[in-house]
Amino acid sequence: MGMKREDTAMKLGLYSITYLGLWYRGEALTLPQMITRAKEYGYDGIEIDGKRPHGNPLDWATARCHDLRARAEGEGIEIYAVAANNDFSNPVPEVREAQICFVRDLIRMTADFGAPTLRVFLAWWGVTRHPQLATYDIAEGYWPIVHERFSTEEIWDWCREALIECSRYAGDAGVTLALQNHKPLINDHNDLLRMVGEVDSPHLKLCLDAPLMPDRSAAGIRAGAQAVGPLQVLTHFGGEFARRPDGSIHGFERNDGVIGEDTNAYYRDFVRAMREIDYDGYIGYELCHQLPVIHGQTVDIGFADTNARLAAEFMRDLIQAEAGVLTRPRS
């Protein structure tokens, strides 16, 4: 029988993809505005998306990074991570090498922000704006065409070699890479663990996200969490949220405009599983899917505001509730 430490509750983050101006109708927030939103809604920190208009390293020289870091610290908000939208899987070596350069520059930017972690992909199909708002459909359609002549193992090897190189750069900068369980190429936590084992670097850890897990049963989530254990350094949650008449908050997914799975149960299970492995890092909210169309127009930034505010309340309540459960003695 033992007592769970009370200081292992996760911290709450806001991932800037939510306000990048890709998914809703309207302009992106600036990163200083993001910091203000995060503080207003009760988040502990922000994760900066590594593309324009937010966090492309071409736009963020060291001095500018330090200025934003000071501003965030002045507001009591931590810049806890940067997110790379990299693709190490392209069959063309020059393209892969360009992606390595991109991640190397993101590592520098991450260090300049004072953030400990850079989230990375193995492969990524990307998003496009067409005609104005973001869509996955176009890029997802050509990714299989580009890769159809190559085996999964060959693509895997390209990604591993790129990640080995980037892990060296991360070590030099004092940054940890967090490999996310994001398709394509990665299917589950076993793929994450295989890649970490093959790269064999102390500077490569994991970002296991519940919405991306193929088995989101309580048992499946717990098994994944137990498997990654102390390698877990970052995680995210998403979806949409609404307040019920009784004041409680309902979380749900939306796929192709259709409301789908309820998220309350599996997020509760995930938070519980993170507590069991003593994960006390960030869980960051992201609004990153095609949003509702009302009266012929995609919703505006107010929809992002509503969901970011409700998501913070929803997840804070879950974290506190599970902390209360697991601070009691367990056999």
Side-chain angles (χ1 to χ4, degrees):
M1 181 178 292
M3 183 71 75
K4 196 72 171 175
R5 296 196 313 272
E6 295 193 18
D7 61 352
T8 57
M10 288 186 287
K11 295 181 281 291
L12 194 58
L14 181 59
Y15 176 20
S16 80
I17 189 71
T18 302
Y19 286 105
L20 199 67
L22 282 175
W23 302 104
Y24 57 80
R25 177 171 45 86
E27 296 299 315
L29 292 186
T30 65
L31 289 180
Q33 289 172 328
M34 270 284 305
I35 291 168
T36 300
R37 281 291 204 290
K39 182 176 182 180
E40 179 184 354
Y41 294 167
Y43 290 92
D44 302 303
I46 64 168
E47 177 178 351
I48 296 173
D49 198 54
K51 59 175 176 282
R52 287 171 171 162
H54 281 175
N56 188 302
L58 293 171
D59 303 323
W60 288 91
T62 295
R64 190 182 180 205
C65 291
H66 289 172
D67 287 345
L68 187 74
R69 176 181 179 179
R71 179 166 188 154
E73 289 173 348
E75 295 289 333
I77 295 295
E78 182 180 7
I79 301 175
Y80 64 88
V82 173
N85 302 289
N86 62 290
D87 178 15
F88 290 147
S89 74
N90 196 284
V92 180
E94 292 88 347
V95 175
R96 294 200 301 276
E97 290 161 7
Q99 287 287 295
I100 292 169
C101 288
F102 171 56
V103 172
R104 183 192 61 185
D105 283 353
L106 282 167
I107 289 167
R108 185 274 306 165
M109 189 184 77
T110 301
D112 288 342
F113 280 136
T117 306
L118 174 66
R119 188 272 282 144
V120 293
F121 295 144
L122 286 189
W124 173 231
W125 46 67
V127 298
T128 58
R129 287 180 181 266
H130 182 74
Q132 293 179 330
L133 297 174
T135 178
Y136 291 112
D137 298 344
I138 296 171
E140 281 190 49
Y142 74 66
W143 198 91
I145 297 170
V146 171
H147 295 83
E148 64 183 355
R149 297 189 181 185
F150 305 93
S151 69
T152 299
E153 284 304 309
E154 189 171 8
I155 298 168
W156 180 273
D157 290 346
W158 298 332
C159 293
R160 183 186 62 243
E161 294 310 306
L163 202 50
I164 287 171
E165 183 170 350
C166 288
S167 295
R168 292 199 300 267
Y169 299 139
D172 291 342
V175 167
T176 296
L177 303 182
L179 178 62
Q180 190 178 24
N181 58 322
H182 204 300
K183 292 184 177 182
L185 206 57
I186 288 178
N187 295 304
D188 59 21
H189 65 273
N190 295 306
D191 292 330
L192 291 180
L193 292 169
R194 176 189 169 193
M195 181 56 73
V196 167
E198 292 181 9
V199 171
D200 192 23
S201 168
H203 312 296
L204 177 63
K205 306 293 185 181
L206 298 180
C207 171
L208 180 71
D209 285 5
L212 302 175
M213 297 177 73
D215 181 359
R216 293 183 292 193
S217 67
I221 285 173
R222 188 171 189 272
Q226 293 290 326
V228 301
L231 290 171
Q232 177 84 327
V233 294
L234 183 66
T235 190
H236 305 86
F237 71 110
E240 298 177 28
F241 297 88
R243 194 178 297 281
R244 298 186 178 104
D246 66 0
S248 64
I249 299 174
H250 170 221
F252 56 92
E253 295 180 346
R254 187 185 300 271
N255 298 305
D256 297 325
V258 178
I259 293 176
E261 183 177 358
D262 186 299
T263 60
N264 290 52
Y266 77 71
Y267 281 139
R268 180 200 62 224
D269 295 334
F270 186 75
V271 170
R272 184 169 297 172
M274 290 295 102
R275 289 282 299 176
E276 289 179 353
I277 64 169
D278 288 347
Y279 175 68
D280 61 356
Y282 274 89
I283 181 167
Y285 176 64
E286 56 178 341
L287 186 66
C288 189
H289 60 269
Q290 290 174 305
L291 301 180
V293 175
I294 300 176
H295 303 307
Q297 287 192 313
T298 301
V299 292
D300 62 16
I301 195 172
F303 188 87
D305 284 335
T306 296
N307 278 276
R309 189 187 296 272
L310 289 174
E313 183 180 342
F314 170 86
M315 187 54 69
R316 183 77 68 189
D317 287 348
L318 265 188
I319 290 169
Q320 291 175 349
E322 291 307 317
V325 168
L326 291 176
T327 50
R328 294 198 297 268
R330 300 183 303 167
S331 56

